[in-house]
């Protein structure tokens, strides 16, 4: 099956710093999503981005499908950005609806 | 706005009990999924359903069953709860599509289940 690797596993930042999170995947995919898991466990959708670049406020993401990686950029980090960031990929073929395969996540801690 | 709800945020059960976890979505989605999340293992798929009364096994279906009698509701059943089923359970839904943006999955708030 598809393997998903995220790096770094842990990241500690001072408030205001920028960061880049990486997601590598082992095969072609139709779906790639970035999530933020808040301290209460809720997975918040950040981006649906199987290819290309998207931006939403201080967050942006880029997926280079041909090279099988995606990057999540966080600029001017805030303490509320703390939590675990997950990359998840999926592949749909024929009538299959597939499912998401998750990386192990990057745990981000933003210090005031 | 997209909404997936789960019946309980926290649940404590005893070994051997039958446990029902309920998930409801209000987006008219065809696909629904149950995942469990464990430290060091990440999120793993237990079961999914792409239509009423249809179900497919995921990566770790042992010890679980599911029920989908209505489109908006997907239940996860632990027939005889065991301590190794203590975990965070997350439900998700998506539309039925061909690999485009319609396949974006949306998650509920999760249920933290403790089996004593």
């Amino acid at each position: 099956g598809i393997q998903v690797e995220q790096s770094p596993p842990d990241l500690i930042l001072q408030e205001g710093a920028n960061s880049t999170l990486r997601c590598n995947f082992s095969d072609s995919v139709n779906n790639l999503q970035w999530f933020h898991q808040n301290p209460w466990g809720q997975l918040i959708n950040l981006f649906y981005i199987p290819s290309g670049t998207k931006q939403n406020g201080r967050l942006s993401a880029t997926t280079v499908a041909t090279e099988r990686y995606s990057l999540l950029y966080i600029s001017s980090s805030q303490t509320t950005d703390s939590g675990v960031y997950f990359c998840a990929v999926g592949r749909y073929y024929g009538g299959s609806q597939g499912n998401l395969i998750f990386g192990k996540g990057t745990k981000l801690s933003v210090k005031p | 706005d997209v909404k997936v709800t789960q019946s309980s945020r926290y649940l404590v059960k005893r070994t051997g009990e039958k446990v029902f976890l309920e998930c409801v979505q209000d987006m008219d989605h065809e696909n629904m999924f149950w995942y469990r999340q464990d430290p060091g293992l990440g999120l793993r798929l237990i079961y999914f359903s792409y239509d009423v009364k249809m179900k497919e096994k995921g990566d770790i279906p042992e010890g679980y069953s599911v029920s989908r009698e209505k489109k908006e509701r997907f239940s996860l059943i632990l027939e005889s709860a065991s301590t190794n089923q203590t975990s965070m359970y997350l439900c998700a839904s998506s539309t039925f599509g061909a690999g485009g943006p319609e396949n974006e999955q949306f998650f509920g708030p999760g249920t933290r289940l403790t089996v004593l």
Side-chain angles (χ1 to χ4, degrees):
Chain A
I2 300 174
Q3 306 296 316
V4 182
E5 293 184 1
Q6 291 186 243
S7 60
D10 295 278
L11 187 58
I12 300 174
L13 298 175
Q14 284 299 129
E15 201 167 25
N18 302 329
S19 62
T20 300
L21 283 58
R22 186 176 180 102
C23 172
N24 293 332
F25 45 97
S26 61
D27 205 343
S28 60
V29 298
N30 305 104
N31 183 359
L32 190 146
Q33 293 184 240
W34 282 98
F35 298 91
H36 174 214
Q37 189 167 42
N38 65 23
W40 298 272
Q42 172 86 58
L43 281 172
I44 310 296
N45 289 42
L46 297 178
F47 294 102
Y48 171 87
I49 188 167
S51 64
T53 298
K54 290 186 178 179
Q55 180 156 10
N56 185 3
R58 295 180 297 103
L59 273 59
S60 64
T62 295
T63 297
V64 183
T66 52
E67 297 187 21
R68 298 180 186 164
Y69 73 89
S70 183
L71 302 173
L72 178 68
Y73 305 96
I74 304 173
S75 65
S76 304
S77 58
Q78 301 175 358
T79 55
T80 51
D81 294 331
S82 296
V84 182
Y85 289 80
F86 287 101
C87 168
V89 303
R91 189 166 64 188
Y92 301 86
Y93 46 90
S96 167
Q97 289 302 290
N99 60 273
L100 285 177
I101 299 162
F102 282 77
K104 297 286 176 67
T106 292
K107 184 176 181 181
L108 175 64
S109 300
V110 181
K111 306 295 185 187
Chain B
D1 213 12
V2 166
K3 194 155 188 190
V4 181
T5 58
Q6 294 182 228
S7 50
S8 305
R9 292 302 304 275
Y10 300 93
L11 207 53
V12 180
K13 296 292 182 181
R14 297 228 173 257
T15 302
E17 280 192 77
K18 191 168 186 175
V19 182
F20 293 86
L21 302 182
E22 303 283 339
C23 176
V24 177
Q25 50 92 7
D26 66 357
M27 298 163 284
D28 201 34
H29 283 170
E30 289 79 9
N31 298 330
M32 296 188 75
F33 307 82
W34 276 107
Y35 297 85
R36 66 176 280 178
Q37 182 178 17
D38 301 288
L41 297 176
L43 280 87
R44 296 175 292 167
L45 182 70
I46 305 171
Y47 266 98
F48 69 98
S49 168
Y50 53 89
D51 201 354
V52 174
K53 296 192 185 295
M54 304 302 289
K55 60 185 179 184
E56 294 281 346
K57 291 180 180 179
D59 299 319
I60 50 165
E62 296 79 18
Y64 302 95
S65 62
V66 290
S67 172
R68 189 152 181 216
E69 297 296 319
K70 293 185 177 181
K71 188 176 183 180
E72 68 271 17
R73 188 179 297 269
F74 192 34
S75 301
L76 181 69
I77 303 158
L78 287 65
E79 296 289 344
S80 178
S82 63
T83 55
N84 62 13
Q85 292 178 309
T86 292
S87 186
M88 174 72 145
Y89 290 87
L90 291 152
C91 174
S93 71
S94 70
T95 56
F96 189 92
E102 65 276 10
N103 290 122
E104 183 176 2
Q105 286 191 27
F106 297 90
F107 282 77
T111 296
R112 291 191 185 275
L113 172 67
T114 301
V115 183
L116 302 175

